[in-house]
Amino acid sequence: SGLLFVQLLYFGMHTFTTMIAQLMIVSTAVITLGVLNEKFLPSFVQIMQYIAIISLVLFIPILIRPSIADLMIANSPVHFEIVKEPYGIRQVTHSLLLINFTPDFPYRARNIGPFWEAGVYGGFLVITLVINTILEKAVFTRRGMLFIITILTTFSTTAYLALFAFLGIYYAIKIASPLLRVASILAFAILVSLAYSQLEFLGSKINDEVELIAYDAQIQGGNSRMASAYLDITELDEKNFYIFFGRGFHPENRFASANKAVQRNNGVTGLLVVWGVPFFIAYILLLKRSFKAVCKYFGAEYYLALIFVLTLMILGQSEPYFGFGFFWALVLLYVPYELENRRLKNDHLYPQ
């Protein structure tokens, strides 16, 4: 709240509404944690499990026979049309509450679940998989397999990369035998290389974005993850104030480009440019502290806390996750879990 007040004083009263909105988001996270405490993560995983099962039941028949999607849209008792016109192009998303269909669905069927974009759904599923690994102390449990299969049906570039990175780092650390570790790393590298070269939504998509950085930055205001990162870092350095206190959330200050309605989707550089370098560092450190406390509470290895942060940084390259209330709750998890760890330690040392 102090940083928001500094930004308000510097940028002016036109940022007041965005300041209030951010305070409400953070307050929601605090209240939710206050109610659920150490049950927050198990409750989240349980909810995501239900969502994953429902989305698979609805999506797999569509994947086998795409025309089923049209039948569902035409006959669903719950149907909302969400119309947007980015760059003057009319786009319609069909929301059936339990599953959504984006404008490009007829050309590229992807499991979006109840989310607004497959990448976001895939990202939340990867986060759930890592958290579930902490809770169950293994990746390939029944519930873990459910999340992995659902991630694969999103066909999300960043979700795939984050999944590969998580599995690769986890088993590189977990496997005790040096020989097996080297063999698994080589096999994993070959698998990732094949996926990158053969899957169009991985290698080709990333290469195209790299080639179009200049166009996306200059013409479209940075609406790709690469161009977004480039412009965010460039604009952060315009004034010393921005480096230490950020540019804030209000579009007039957030974007130096002429297009103030652009959707910059690199969440990592977005976090950096909105809040400044000191807050960015504090955010990362608090995330690690929170999940170290979580690992201690559930009896998991501490290295999973670092893997979680690294995985989240990969996911954050393509979505502005860090502005969502759920991620503020993740940053603040150290409060209930450290308190509970301390209580359990005292109960062990001084049993009644």
Side-chain angles (χ1 to χ4, degrees), residues 129 133 136 138-145 148 167 170-171:
L129 176 65
T133 302
E136 299 190 334
V139 176
F140 292 99
T141 61
R142 193 181 308 180
R143 195 154 57 178
M145 286 300 299
I148 291 173
L167 294 176
Y170 176 77
Y171 282 105

Side-chain angles (χ1 to χ4, degrees), residues 177-333:
S177 169
L179 185 61
L180 285 176
R181 183 179 298 173
V182 171
S184 64
I185 291 174
L186 287 174
F188 181 77
I190 293 171
L191 177 64
V192 172
S193 298
L194 286 172
Y196 187 88
S197 61
Q198 297 299 318
L199 297 178
E200 183 180 353
F201 62 90
L202 278 179
S204 297
K205 183 176 179 180
I206 294 172
N207 292 336
D208 289 344
E209 285 194 12
V210 172
E211 292 174 1
L212 292 172
I213 287 178
Y215 173 80
D216 289 335
Q218 295 174 14
I219 306 301
Q220 301 199 36
N223 67 343
S224 72
R225 75 198 83 191
M226 302 293 185
S228 175
Y230 168 75
L231 285 178
D232 284 344
I233 293 171
T234 301
E235 293 170 2
L236 179 68
D237 196 38
E238 288 182 354
K239 293 182 180 180
N240 289 335
F241 180 88
Y242 299 156
I243 295 173
F244 290 100
F245 301 104
R247 297 182 67 108
F249 277 92
H250 197 282
E252 290 299 321
N253 316 311
R254 169 68 175 86
F255 308 118
S257 57
N259 186 354
K260 302 298 183 181
V262 66
Q263 294 182 352
R264 300 234 183 121
N265 56 1
N266 192 309
V268 176
T269 57
L271 177 68
L272 180 65
V273 77
V274 165
W275 297 102
V277 174
F279 184 90
F280 178 85
I281 295 171
Y283 189 101
I284 302 302
L285 292 176
L286 285 178
L287 259 181
K288 184 176 179 294
R289 176 179 175 179
S290 290
F291 275 84
K292 186 176 180 181
V294 168
C295 289
K296 183 176 182 180
Y297 179 80
F298 289 103
E301 298 290 345
Y302 286 156
Y303 63 75
L304 276 167
L306 182 57
I307 293 177
F308 178 85
V309 175
L310 291 173
T311 304
L312 193 54
M313 290 300 103
I314 294 172
L315 290 171
Q317 297 297 320
S318 65
E319 295 292 342
Y321 291 111
F322 306 110
F324 302 157
F326 173 75
F327 291 86
W328 284 110
L330 294 184
V331 171
L332 299 171
L333 277 177

